[in-house]
Each structure stands twice: as C-alpha cells, then as structure tokens.
Amino acid sequence: MSVKAFLSKYVAALAVAKTKKWASQPIVTQQRTFEKLIRCAADTQFGKDHGFSEIRSHADFVSRVPVRDYEALKPYVDRVVAGTPNVLWPGKPRYFAKTSGTTSGAKYIPITNESMPFHIQAARDAILHYIHETGDTKVVDGKMIFLQGSPILEEKNGIQLGRLSGIVAHYVPKYLQKNRLPSWETNCIDDWETKVDAIVDETIKEDLSIISGIPSWVQMYFERLQEKSGKAVGELFPNFNLFIYGGVNYEPYRKKFEQLIGRKVNSIELFPASEGFFAYTDSQQEEGMLLLLNSGIFYEFIPADRFFEEDPPRLTVGEVELGVNYVLILSTNAGLWAYNIGDTIRFTSLSPYRLVVTGRIKHFISAFGEHVIGKEVEEALRTALTDSEAVVSEFTVAPQVAPDSGLPYHEWFIEFEQEPEDLASFALAIDTALRKQNSYYDDLISGSVLQVLKISVVPKNGFQEYMKSQGKLGGQNKLPRLSNDRKIADFLTKLL
C-alpha cells in the first residue's frame, strides 16, 4: 500500500466522523446555519430591504423574504455584477459562475470566499466516504480524469467569471496535480469535439482509476476511446473502478456504460450546481445522496404539487416526509435568498437525510393534466430495459397534441445503440411502467384521452446535433428529459 493510500484511510475516517456529528443533529445544524446567514447579511442591501435585523425565526423569514428565481433576483444580481459591494452578501463575490439563462440571457451566480470551500470539500468528502466504506484505497494511486469546462476565466468589474467546473479546476489539491488529467492545455480547448479527441490521445495509455463527468459526455469519450483502440474501456484501464457523475440520472446510461466498459464499476453521484453543492452518495448500500446540512446553505422545501399556489407551504428539514416531490429552495452564504434553482427532489431517508433528484419543476409534461416528471420517465425506461436486449444512448419525451390521425400521445425520441427486437412491445413496456407510477397518466390512457406512447427512433448522434445547434455541446450542458412543448421534438423530427 502506498503512503498516499495509507493516509487516505486515516483522512477518510476523520471525514466520516465529522459528517456523522452534524448529520446526527440535522435540525440544530440547519438552525445554526440559518441564524449565521441572517446575522452575516443583516447589513447588506438585501438584508436591510427585507428587515433581517428583525428576523428571529423561520416564520419571520417566510413573511419577509418571498421565493425568487434568477429573473426575480436579477435587479440585485445586476448591482453585484456592476461592482457594487454589500448587496446580497458582505463585500464582493470572489467569482461569478456563468450559466445560460432562459429569459435573461447569461446568468451570473455569485460564489463568495465563504461558499467556495464547500464546493471543494464536498467533492473531496464524497470520495473519502467511498474509501471509508469500501476500503478501496487504490483509487487514489491511479490517474483521475474530470471531464469539465474550460478553466480559462474572464473578468467583469474586478470579479473573475467562468463555468463552475472551470472555476473548480483551479482548486485541485497539489497532492492530486500529478494524478489529474487532462492537462491544463487540453482542458482549455473550447470546442467540445476537438477537446474529446485531445483527451482520448492524452489518456489512452494512462492508468485511470477514477473517471468523472456528466454521463452523456463521458459516454462520448468512451465511444471515442473504443473507436481508436478497438478495446473495451475496462480493458484499456484495468484499474478503473469508480465513476463519479452528476447532473443527470445515471440509470438510463448504465447498460450502455457497462457495455462500453466491459464490466460493472462502482459509482458516486454528486448534486452540485453553481448555486452550491447540495448532496453526494455517502453509501454504496443506501439509496439516495446525503443532504449537506452543514455547508453554508439553509434549505426549504415546497411540495411540488402545490408550488404554483399563491402561498405554498415552505417546509424545513424537520417537516418533510418520505416519498414526496419537493421543489428545492436555497438561502446561501453566496447571497442567494429563498432562491428557487428549479430542481425537484424526493427524500429516501430522514435519518440521515438522503434524497434523489426527481427532475425540474419546469421540465414536465402536463399537456393533458398528466403531470409526468423526469424521474417517472427515467424509471419507466429503466424498467423496460430490464427485460430487453435494447441499449439506449439518449432520449427525450414531448407531447404530440395534434397527430395526423388518432388520439394524442406522448412521443418518445430515443437514440438506440441497439434497438429492441419489437419496438411496439418495447413502447408498451415503457407505457405500462409509466402508468403504474402516474395515476393521472393511467386515467388518461384508460379513458381513451391518450393513446399508448409512440417511439421515434433518432439516428446516431442526433442528440449531439441538437445540442450543437443550441451551442450546448459538451461541458456541463444537459438534455432535458421532458418538454411540455415540441421545440426539441421539431428539430429531431427533421432528422428522422
């Protein structure tokens, strides 16, 4: 055992002990976080506007601070971007994480000196929890690759800005620098396809033990490796034993990954965003990710089925229940207050608090009142694949409200690596699994309002063509699993 591997066991034990301490008193931990956030921001412009000095309880906070998304918070953010200090948080942010917005163009999410360390600590602790549970210290001896955005940062009014993954690249610990791939120069390549080819050339003869990235883009990397070498990824990298991912559900990709790798590998799911690092897999045996209650973030949860009410309930961790879909609301030490990031989650455990991401509050299909969410379509596809030889590369779902003939239906656009022998039976299997999960959808099928879903087979690389057309090929960009309109569907239909 190497010195690094030996030390990793000791450091992992310390990290797990520290986690257990705050996880065993979740309500107290969140209350302390809440009080500290309010106290620190009381003299900011936002704090003065919302009477932070008078807030004594969560109820006070709810009465004074409404839930906002980026567009609603933008007047404050614009002042921060302009260089004004003490607007949302004391002083100025250290960085802006630049993301693509929907109605407001580019979004600038502040990252402060107080919030940045938690992004790094959480990613580190996820690996340490894995080492502590499995005893697999060999992962720290091999090379590690993180498929991420360019680390080149711009400057705006004295504050550096870039993609979150590019910002985080500046914080790789010195003891990992020799193990980390790709090189700085390769990471700086802007064009994703050129970058992937360069990464393949740089890594194909290395000893990789950890590979990390969004599944859809890691899949592209794996395919290029296989094309160039003629070997399975697991044969190229015999010590590759840990896949770290985030951003999208891994399950729809798992079968394809195991085919490309040639064997099963353990995985860790992360739940990071520009707004904060919220959760990670802390156990290979338990479902869900550990909610990070001690990371400078105060969480609120709004039941998803009541989110669009005029005054929906805003619950704290002590008030949530298992199995309910909640919209995640954040107040953070980066100066976001009652902020709706748009993600929906469901708790799988309340001791400790573990969750799964179920989708986006804006990404759903309810063209007919069915309220189908991302987690349901992913689970339906997973169920259908269990008894099929089919292998799916990518998919998305949209409503077909006005077909040329017959009843309306949900149209599934699927890019197969290997098509099922009977496409109609495969569609029926998905439909049956979806009906079991969603009673509204089941009622619409039973009542002959909708017909059984239909599958449109997308040609190879069709989804990559769509993402390229949107300027979102690679990096941290993700394809929506569902849309309540046909914008994506119309592009894909032209490829059929």
Side-chain angles (χ1 to χ4, degrees):
M1 181 184 293
S2 70
V3 173
K4 189 186 294 185
F6 177 78
L7 289 175
S8 71
K9 293 189 72 172
Y10 174 73
V11 175
L14 290 178
V16 170
K18 186 177 180 181
T19 297
K20 286 182 177 178
K21 187 174 181 179
W22 60 254
S24 65
Q25 44 184 356
I27 296 173
V28 171
T29 299
Q30 275 286 276
Q31 181 63 24
R32 287 174 181 165
T33 299
F34 173 73
E35 291 171 356
K36 184 176 182 179
L37 290 173
I38 298 299
R39 184 172 64 251
C40 287
D43 291 329
T44 64
Q45 189 60 56
F46 190 94
K48 292 174 181 177
D49 290 348
H50 295 81
F52 274 23
S53 61
E54 303 299 319
I55 291 177
R56 300 290 182 267
S57 65
H58 177 242
D60 292 342
F61 182 74
V62 170
S63 69
R64 293 172 181 269
V65 185
V67 172
R68 291 176 169 96
D69 59 13
Y70 184 83
E71 281 69 35
L73 194 66
K74 192 172 183 292
Y76 286 99
V77 177
D78 284 347
R79 295 182 61 190
V80 180
V81 173
T84 306
N86 305 316
V87 177
L88 289 165
W89 190 255
K92 294 183 180 182
R94 185 162 188 169
Y95 302 100
F96 288 119
K98 187 178 180 181
T99 66
S100 55
T102 51
T103 61
S104 56
K107 294 165 61 176
Y108 297 93
I109 306 298
I111 298 176
T112 62
N113 287 326
E114 291 82 3
S115 68
M116 188 69 225
F118 288 106
H119 285 275
I120 310 306
Q121 179 182 313
R124 180 202 68 189
D125 285 355
I127 298 176
L128 291 175
H129 275 71
Y130 172 81
I131 291 172
H132 183 75
E133 182 184 39
T134 65
D136 180 11
T137 60
K138 293 184 294 183
V139 293
V140 303
D141 287 327
K143 295 289 180 72
M144 308 174 186
I145 183 170
F146 301 90
L147 297 182
Q148 56 193 189
S150 171
I152 296 176
L153 303 180
E154 305 170 43
E155 192 172 289
K156 197 172 186 71
N157 295 320
I159 300 171
Q160 291 185 304
L161 68 96
R163 298 289 181 181
L164 175 65
S165 60
I167 293 170
V168 170
H170 291 260
Y171 288 84
V172 176
K174 287 184 178 180
Y175 62 86
L176 288 182
Q177 291 287 4
K178 291 183 179 179
N179 295 58
R180 180 180 174 275
L181 290 169
S183 66
W184 185 269
E185 293 75 19
T186 296
N187 237 354
C188 290
I189 296 173
D190 198 44
D191 179 74
W192 184 252
E193 291 183 288
T194 304
K195 183 173 184 171
V196 171
D197 287 335
I199 292 173
V200 168
D201 290 338
E202 208 169 83
T203 60
I204 197 166
K205 294 183 179 179
E206 296 287 352
D207 177 23
L208 295 185
S209 58
I210 297 177
I211 297 175
S212 176
I214 290 178
S216 52
W217 307 123
V218 175
Q219 178 179 310
M220 185 178 179
Y221 166 61
F222 283 174
E223 289 171 343
R224 298 282 176 91
L225 280 170
Q226 195 174 63
E227 288 170 10
K228 184 156 188 174
S229 68
K231 297 179 180 179
V233 173
E235 187 180 353
L236 279 174
F237 309 131
N239 291 313
F240 167 42
N241 287 312
L242 182 59
F243 173 50
I244 303 175
Y245 68 95
V248 298
N249 188 358
Y250 179 40
E251 289 308 316
Y253 299 94
R254 187 180 293 276
K255 196 171 182 179
K256 173 64 175 175
F257 266 57
E258 290 176 357
Q259 185 183 80
L260 288 166
I261 298 167
R263 54 183 165 82
K264 295 182 178 181
V265 297
N266 286 335
S267 62
I268 295 175
E269 183 175 6
L270 309 178
F271 187 11
S274 301
E275 295 84 355
F277 203 124
F278 314 127
Y280 57 71
T281 298
D282 68 315
S283 172
Q284 296 292 305
Q285 309 302 319
E286 303 294 337
E287 181 189 7
M289 296 175 282
L290 181 71
L291 180 63
L292 304 182
L293 302 172
N294 193 36
S295 60
I297 301 172
F298 177 71
Y299 300 96
E300 295 175 277
F301 308 90
I302 298 177
D305 60 0
R306 299 187 62 183
F307 181 75
F308 295 104
E309 293 180 4
E310 185 174 340
D311 188 24
R314 290 163 58 177
L315 309 177
T316 60
V317 288
E319 300 170 299
V320 297
E321 300 176 2
L322 294 174
V324 177
N325 278 313
Y326 294 104
V327 180
L328 187 61
I329 307 297
L330 314 167
S331 295
T332 79
N333 55 7
L336 302 175
W337 302 102
Y339 186 84
N340 170 27
I341 62 169
D343 287 319
T344 58
I345 61 94
R346 172 174 53 81
F347 284 99
T348 60
S349 167
L350 301 183
S351 182
Y353 284 85
R354 292 194 182 97
L355 57 82
V356 293
V357 180
T358 55
R360 301 277 294 170
I361 194 64
K362 291 183 179 179
H363 292 172
F364 60 91
I365 297 180
S366 198
F368 312 94
E370 61 272 47
H371 309 296
V372 171
I373 62 173
K375 190 71 173 177
E376 291 169 344
V377 298
E378 289 175 338
E379 177 63 22
L381 180 61
R382 187 197 66 78
T383 300
L385 287 170
T386 301
D387 298 319
S388 171
E389 295 301 314
V391 179
V392 170
S393 295
E394 192 60 276
F395 79 99
T396 192
V397 188
Q400 177 51 272
V401 179
D404 293 336
S405 62
L407 295 172
Y409 55 89
H410 284 187
E411 187 171 10
W412 286 57
F413 293 85
I414 303 180
E415 183 179 329
F416 289 100
E417 179 69 24
Q418 180 176 319
E419 287 193 34
E421 290 184 8
D422 187 334
L423 195 63
S425 296
F426 187 70
L428 183 59
I430 297 175
D431 202 80
T432 300
L434 186 56
R435 291 176 68 177
K436 288 180 180 178
Q437 296 180 81
N438 188 304
S439 59
Y440 300 108
Y441 181 73
D442 182 49
D443 289 343
L444 291 167
I445 298 290
S446 301
S448 297
V449 177
L450 296 179
Q451 60 175 305
V452 170
L453 66 85
K454 294 187 178 182
I455 295 175
S456 293
V457 179
V458 177
K460 187 172 177 59
N461 298 325
F463 285 101
Q464 288 183 25
E465 289 300 315
Y466 169 74
M467 296 296 280
K468 188 186 296 185
S469 75
Q470 302 298 302
K472 294 185 176 182
L473 186 65
Q476 303 302 298
N477 297 305
K478 297 160 282 189
L479 176 78
R481 284 287 175 241
L482 324 103
S483 306
N484 209 36
D485 56 44
R486 290 189 60 83
K487 292 178 182 177
I488 300 175
D490 288 344
F491 180 94
L492 296 172
T493 298
K494 297 175 184 176
L495 303 179
L496 303 181

